Amino acid sequence: MALTEVSAELVAQLSQLAGITIAPEHAPGVIANLSVLLRQGELLMEQKIDPAIEPASVFRP
Amino acid sequence: MITGAGSGLNAFQEILADRALDEAQAVDRVVAAGQDPGPLAGVPYGVKDNYDVAGRVTTAGSIIYRDQAPAQADAVLVQRARRAGAVLVGVQTMDELAYGFTTENAHYGMAHNPLDPARSAGGSSGGSAAATAAGLCDFALGTDTNGSIRVPASFCGLFGLKPTFGRLPRTGTFPFVHDLDHLGPFARSAADLALIYDVLQGHDAGDFACADIPADPVSARLGEGFAGSVAVLDGWFDDLADAQGRHAVAAVAAALGATGRITLPGAARARAAAFILTCSSGANLHIEALRTRAADFDPATRDRLLAGALLPANLVLQAQRYRTLFHEAVMEAFRHHDVLLAPATPCAAPLLGQPTIRIAGEDLATRPNIGLLTQPLSFIGLPIVAVPVRNGPMPIGVQIIARPWREDVALAVAVQLERAGVVGCPETLPC
């Protein structure tokens, strides 16, 4: 099962990767929203998608 | 009226009195010269604060970008409205950066519903809807990424059009989610909506996603009526509706002779995918501001965007591939039906500041969940007209959903329903 519970420590590490410093007063909101997003992501990842299905965006050179 | 009693709605962020007078006088001169002033001659309208207006900074409901240079030109759709003789009276309030469904903006205030000012006008195009419903303008231009035209139309009792993705050029508008942003009008009648849509149509190379197809004017064909096959969307779109929404859909379905009910497989995942694309795309767009001045965002926007910046790329790509998969499933439904029906919102307009709404027996946070019934459909870019049904103290919208590029069908249905008295805008409130 994918990670959906988010800790402050995880947010700190992820934000470091993203090059963002999250102020302590903003962290609870980010944790709550990331938890929701990851639960939505888990629902999405449950769907096996045939490799032939391409991403919707098509680049036109 | 806009600056008088109507100002209490907070529908306008800025009134463009000088420009409006100039444009009105220009129309007068054309008429006096015996020339054609255009199909929207003298019609007052407003635009959401994410449309470029020449000489004005496009702030998109934010304070972060207010130091940028003023727009050098009007947005393309504003240019087209002007050429048709319409008169721009002002720029309208919105949720910050278009990321919301209630137009409760920490910087610029709340847009109030003219039908009950204690209630939300919806969002993120709430000011546009409130102004049009109150008669402060005769139409307005908004944007819809996940429901931001359809939700305010539902709450304010208006007709709203979210066209096919790529139909109307977004050139000269402040983006939110490049893969999901649509532009469209609000009006108080279906015929007006169609006329405005016709004026706005046409390719523009300034929008990479704008389809290079000829304009397809629909107004002259609306009288032909609609006799196609209609189905009500079941499953997700019924489970998450309330009794008022279900009754509204039932009334529309009965008037159209709907032949059945169908379930779109994967609507919940479609919504999840749209949710993830929105958050990650918005975060990427605003990453510099998130890094340097996060405190200047509306708190309701900030924490979602910060979270979006932390999402694994795998989820974003999965969302894009699911978009293709869901599109295929929905096109299968359109092999058997010309029009699909669903409520536009899980409930009628909630109170401003209301923390939760009741959906399927659960109390869910209001702001992120108002778009549950709109998100899966805009995710795949279908053309949709939201039509107002007056079946309660507040109206509620029904989505008339057509195949891609068949705005003519959705609009013909809307006109037919309005003529039959099944749908219609509440009386304009005196201001």
Side-chain angles (χ1 to χ4, degrees):
Chain A
M1 180 181 292
L3 172 71
T4 55
E5 295 306 316
V6 177
S7 66
E9 188 180 29
L10 176 66
V11 165
Q13 290 172 338
L14 289 174
S15 61
Q16 196 173 20
L17 269 178
I20 300 174
T21 301
I22 294 179
E25 62 269 27
H26 301 159
V30 176
I31 290 168
N33 278 282
L34 188 57
S35 299
V36 169
L37 280 165
L38 292 177
R39 282 197 292 276
Q40 295 284 292
E42 187 179 27
L43 174 65
L44 196 53
M45 294 305 296
E46 285 173 2
Q47 174 72 53
K48 296 285 184 284
I49 301 180
D50 189 292
I53 301 293
E54 299 196 1
S57 298
V58 176
F59 181 72
R60 294 191 294 276
Chain B
M1 203 159 86
I2 296 174
T3 55
S7 63
L9 298 175
N10 194 35
F12 283 92
Q13 187 153 315
E14 184 176 351
I15 294 161
L16 304 174
D18 289 344
R19 173 168 174 152
L21 283 170
D22 285 347
E23 290 187 341
Q25 288 167 353
V27 171
D28 286 344
R29 287 193 294 273
V30 170
V31 171
Q35 294 165 345
D36 180 4
L40 298 178
V43 177
Y45 77 108
V47 298
K48 191 174 179 181
D49 181 33
N50 54 3
Y51 280 70
D52 283 350
V53 173
R56 183 183 180 275
V57 176
T58 309
T59 50
S62 173
I63 60 174
I64 288 171
Y65 301 105
R66 61 184 177 187
D67 295 329
Q68 298 206 327
Q72 299 210 316
D74 290 339
V76 164
L77 294 196
V78 175
Q79 293 176 34
R80 291 175 181 176
R82 184 174 189 155
R83 279 201 294 273
V87 174
L88 180 62
V89 298
V91 172
Q92 291 155 336
T93 53
M94 58 183 283
D95 281 300
E96 183 183 66
L97 304 173
Y99 203 175
F101 289 121
T102 60
T103 309
E104 293 172 283
N105 188 307
H107 314 297
Y108 300 107
M110 305 175 181
H112 296 259
N113 193 313
L115 301 172
D116 179 351
R119 294 186 181 273
S120 172
S124 58
S125 312
S128 300
T132 306
L136 304 180
C137 56
D138 284 340
F139 73 93
L141 300 182
T143 66
D144 188 316
T145 300
N146 288 293
S148 293
I149 288 174
R150 292 163 287 158
V151 166
S154 178
F155 286 176
C156 293
L158 290 172
F159 294 85
L161 169 65
K162 185 206 73 63
T164 309
F165 181 75
R167 171 69 85 176
L168 296 183
R170 304 166 305 179
T171 319
T173 57
F174 196 110
F176 175 21
V177 183
H178 292 95
D179 288 317
L180 302 179
D181 288 346
H182 307 67
L183 307 190
F186 294 94
R188 294 193 298 275
S189 80
D192 285 352
L193 197 73
L195 178 60
I196 295 156
Y197 167 63
D198 282 349
V199 162
L200 298 176
Q201 284 192 59
H203 176 253
D204 185 84
D207 178 359
F208 188 71
C210 187
D212 192 359
I213 57 176
D216 179 32
V218 305
S219 295
R221 291 145 50 192
L222 294 176
E224 296 167 5
F226 170 79
S229 172
V230 181
V232 172
L233 289 180
D234 213 334
W236 172 270
F237 298 95
D238 185 77
D239 294 344
L240 302 183
D242 67 357
Q244 183 181 359
R246 290 196 192 99
H247 290 150
V249 169
V252 169
L256 296 174
T259 54
R261 303 177 71 86
I262 60 169
T263 298
L264 297 182
R269 289 201 179 92
R271 189 264 176 162
F275 198 83
I276 283 167
L277 276 182
T278 298
C279 209
S280 56
S281 296
N284 176 259
L285 189 64
H286 301 292
I287 193 69
E288 278 313 304
L290 289 170
R291 284 179 173 149
T292 59
R293 49 187 305 191
D296 288 338
F297 283 84
D298 184 323
T301 315
R302 178 194 59 229
D303 297 345
R304 287 185 286 172
L305 291 177
L306 284 170
L310 308 183
L311 280 176
N314 186 41
L315 294 184
V316 180
L317 286 165
Q318 182 83 353
Q320 284 289 13
R321 292 178 66 217
Y322 193 77
R323 194 177 184 201
T324 304
L325 196 67
F326 187 65
H327 175 264
E328 290 177 358
V330 176
M331 289 305 105
E332 178 60 29
F334 277 116
R335 287 184 58 221
H336 308 286
H337 302 287
D338 301 297
V339 163
L340 307 175
L341 303 175
T345 45
C347 57
L351 294 168
L352 284 162
Q354 181 174 323
T356 61
I357 47 178
R358 193 90 176 149
I359 299 178
E362 271 191 86
D363 290 322
L364 300 179
T366 301
R367 293 168 78 167
N369 289 296
I370 285 178
L372 285 173
L373 305 181
T374 50
Q375 260 179 309
L377 303 168
S378 37
F379 176 52
I380 53 169
L382 298 175
I384 301 172
V385 174
V387 294
V389 177
R390 296 165 291 183
N391 65 347
M394 295 293 289
I396 196 164
V398 171
Q399 298 182 86
I400 311 296
I401 307 152
R403 290 187 189 90
W405 312 111
R406 297 310 307 268
E407 288 84 348
D408 61 314
V409 170
L411 286 163
V413 168
V415 166
Q416 186 167 306
L417 290 168
E418 188 178 20
R419 286 177 181 163
V422 178
V423 305
C425 184
E427 292 289 317
T428 301
L429 295 177
C431 284

